[in-house]
Short mmCIF file of all heavy atoms in Angstrom, two decimals:
data_model
loop_
_atom_site.label_atom_id
_atom_site.label_comp_id
_atom_site.label_asym_id
_atom_site.label_seq_id
_atom_site.Cartn_x
_atom_site.Cartn_y
_atom_site.Cartn_z
N PHE I 247 117.04 57.50 125.27
CA PHE I 247 116.00 58.50 125.04
C PHE I 247 114.65 58.04 125.54
O PHE I 247 113.96 58.77 126.20
CB PHE I 247 115.95 58.82 123.53
CG PHE I 247 114.88 59.81 123.16
CD1 PHE I 247 115.16 61.18 123.22
CD2 PHE I 247 113.64 59.39 122.74
CE1 PHE I 247 114.14 62.09 122.89
CE2 PHE I 247 112.64 60.29 122.41
CZ PHE I 247 112.91 61.64 122.46
N LEU I 248 114.35 56.76 125.25
CA LEU I 248 113.06 56.23 125.68
C LEU I 248 113.05 55.99 127.19
O LEU I 248 112.05 56.25 127.87
CB LEU I 248 112.77 54.88 124.95
CG LEU I 248 112.40 55.03 123.48
CD1 LEU I 248 112.34 53.64 122.84
CD2 LEU I 248 111.14 55.78 123.27
N ALA I 249 114.16 55.48 127.70
CA ALA I 249 114.19 55.14 129.14
C ALA I 249 114.09 56.37 130.01
O ALA I 249 113.61 56.33 131.14
CB ALA I 249 115.52 54.42 129.44
N SER I 250 114.55 57.53 129.48
CA SER I 250 114.48 58.77 130.24
C SER I 250 113.11 59.39 130.24
O SER I 250 112.86 60.36 130.95
CB SER I 250 115.52 59.75 129.69
OG SER I 250 115.14 60.17 128.40
N ARG I 251 112.18 58.85 129.40
CA ARG I 251 110.85 59.42 129.31
C ARG I 251 109.88 58.59 130.09
O ARG I 251 109.95 57.37 130.12
CB ARG I 251 110.39 59.48 127.83
CG ARG I 251 111.29 60.28 126.95
CD ARG I 251 110.82 60.25 125.53
NE ARG I 251 109.59 60.99 125.41
CZ ARG I 251 108.98 61.17 124.25
NH1 ARG I 251 109.50 60.69 123.16
NH2 ARG I 251 107.88 61.86 124.18
N PRO I 252 108.93 59.24 130.79
CA PRO I 252 107.91 58.48 131.52
C PRO I 252 106.98 57.79 130.53
O PRO I 252 106.91 58.12 129.37
CB PRO I 252 107.16 59.56 132.31
CG PRO I 252 107.43 60.83 131.57
CD PRO I 252 108.81 60.68 130.96
N SER I 253 106.23 56.80 131.06
CA SER I 253 105.37 56.01 130.15
C SER I 253 104.23 56.83 129.58
O SER I 253 103.71 56.52 128.53
CB SER I 253 104.80 54.80 130.95
OG SER I 253 104.05 55.26 132.04
N SER I 254 103.86 57.88 130.22
CA SER I 254 102.83 58.76 129.66
C SER I 254 103.37 60.14 129.59
O SER I 254 103.87 60.66 130.59
CB SER I 254 101.58 58.75 130.57
OG SER I 254 100.57 59.56 130.04
N ASN I 255 103.32 60.79 128.40
CA ASN I 255 103.94 62.06 128.21
C ASN I 255 103.41 63.14 129.13
O ASN I 255 102.24 63.48 129.11
CB ASN I 255 103.69 62.56 126.76
CG ASN I 255 104.65 61.90 125.79
OD1 ASN I 255 105.44 61.06 126.22
ND2 ASN I 255 104.57 62.30 124.55
N PRO I 256 104.27 63.69 130.00
CA PRO I 256 103.81 64.84 130.82
C PRO I 256 103.82 66.07 129.95
O PRO I 256 104.46 66.15 128.92
CB PRO I 256 104.92 64.94 131.89
CG PRO I 256 106.16 64.41 131.23
CD PRO I 256 105.65 63.34 130.27
N ILE I 265 94.26 65.91 129.04
CA ILE I 265 94.16 64.64 128.39
C ILE I 265 92.73 64.13 128.53
O ILE I 265 92.22 63.93 129.64
CB ILE I 265 95.14 63.63 129.00
CG1 ILE I 265 96.59 64.05 128.71
CG2 ILE I 265 94.90 62.22 128.47
CD1 ILE I 265 97.64 63.15 129.26
N ILE I 391 103.73 55.40 117.70
CA ILE I 391 102.88 55.50 118.90
C ILE I 391 103.55 54.78 120.05
O ILE I 391 103.56 55.29 121.19
CB ILE I 391 101.49 54.90 118.59
CG1 ILE I 391 100.69 55.85 117.68
CG2 ILE I 391 100.72 54.62 119.86
CD1 ILE I 391 99.36 55.30 117.23
N TYR I 392 104.12 53.60 119.76
CA TYR I 392 104.80 52.88 120.83
C TYR I 392 106.08 53.58 121.25
O TYR I 392 106.30 53.78 122.46
CB TYR I 392 105.12 51.45 120.37
CG TYR I 392 106.02 50.72 121.37
CD1 TYR I 392 105.47 50.21 122.54
CD2 TYR I 392 107.38 50.58 121.11
CE1 TYR I 392 106.30 49.59 123.45
CE2 TYR I 392 108.19 49.92 122.01
CZ TYR I 392 107.65 49.44 123.19
OH TYR I 392 108.47 48.80 124.11
N LEU I 393 106.91 53.99 120.29
CA LEU I 393 108.19 54.55 120.62
C LEU I 393 108.08 55.87 121.36
O LEU I 393 108.94 56.22 122.18
CB LEU I 393 109.04 54.74 119.37
CG LEU I 393 109.49 53.44 118.66
CD1 LEU I 393 110.07 53.76 117.32
CD2 LEU I 393 110.49 52.69 119.52
N ASN I 394 107.04 56.66 121.06
CA ASN I 394 106.81 57.96 121.72
C ASN I 394 105.92 57.87 122.92
O ASN I 394 105.68 58.90 123.58
CB ASN I 394 106.26 58.95 120.70
CG ASN I 394 107.26 59.31 119.61
OD1 ASN I 394 108.27 59.97 119.89
ND2 ASN I 394 107.00 58.89 118.39
N ARG I 395 105.38 56.70 123.20
CA ARG I 395 104.50 56.50 124.35
C ARG I 395 103.28 57.43 124.31
O ARG I 395 102.96 58.11 125.30
CB ARG I 395 105.29 56.73 125.68
CG ARG I 395 106.55 55.89 125.83
CD ARG I 395 106.23 54.41 125.89
NE ARG I 395 107.37 53.62 126.35
CZ ARG I 395 108.26 53.00 125.58
NH1 ARG I 395 108.11 53.08 124.25
NH2 ARG I 395 109.24 52.31 126.10
N VAL I 396 102.59 57.49 123.16
CA VAL I 396 101.49 58.42 122.99
C VAL I 396 100.21 57.67 122.60
O VAL I 396 99.34 58.22 121.92
CB VAL I 396 101.82 59.51 121.94
CG1 VAL I 396 102.86 60.45 122.48
CG2 VAL I 396 102.25 58.90 120.61
N GLY I 397 100.07 56.43 123.05
CA GLY I 397 98.86 55.67 122.76
C GLY I 397 97.60 56.27 123.31
O GLY I 397 96.52 56.04 122.79
N ASP I 398 97.74 57.07 124.39
CA ASP I 398 96.57 57.72 124.95
C ASP I 398 96.24 59.05 124.30
O ASP I 398 95.25 59.72 124.66
CB ASP I 398 96.78 57.93 126.47
CG ASP I 398 98.02 58.73 126.78
OD1 ASP I 398 98.91 58.86 125.91
OD2 ASP I 398 98.11 59.26 127.92
N LEU I 399 97.06 59.46 123.33
CA LEU I 399 96.89 60.74 122.73
C LEU I 399 96.55 60.71 121.21
O LEU I 399 95.99 61.63 120.67
CB LEU I 399 98.15 61.62 122.92
CG LEU I 399 98.46 62.05 124.35
CD1 LEU I 399 99.80 62.71 124.45
CD2 LEU I 399 97.36 63.00 124.85
#
Side-chain angles (χ1 to χ4, degrees):
F247 177 85
L248 290 172
S250 65
R251 300 178 70 176
S253 59
S254 182
N255 279 5
I265 294 180
I391 286 175
Y392 172 76
L393 292 170
N394 292 293
R395 305 297 194 263
V396 291
D398 57 342
L399 293 172

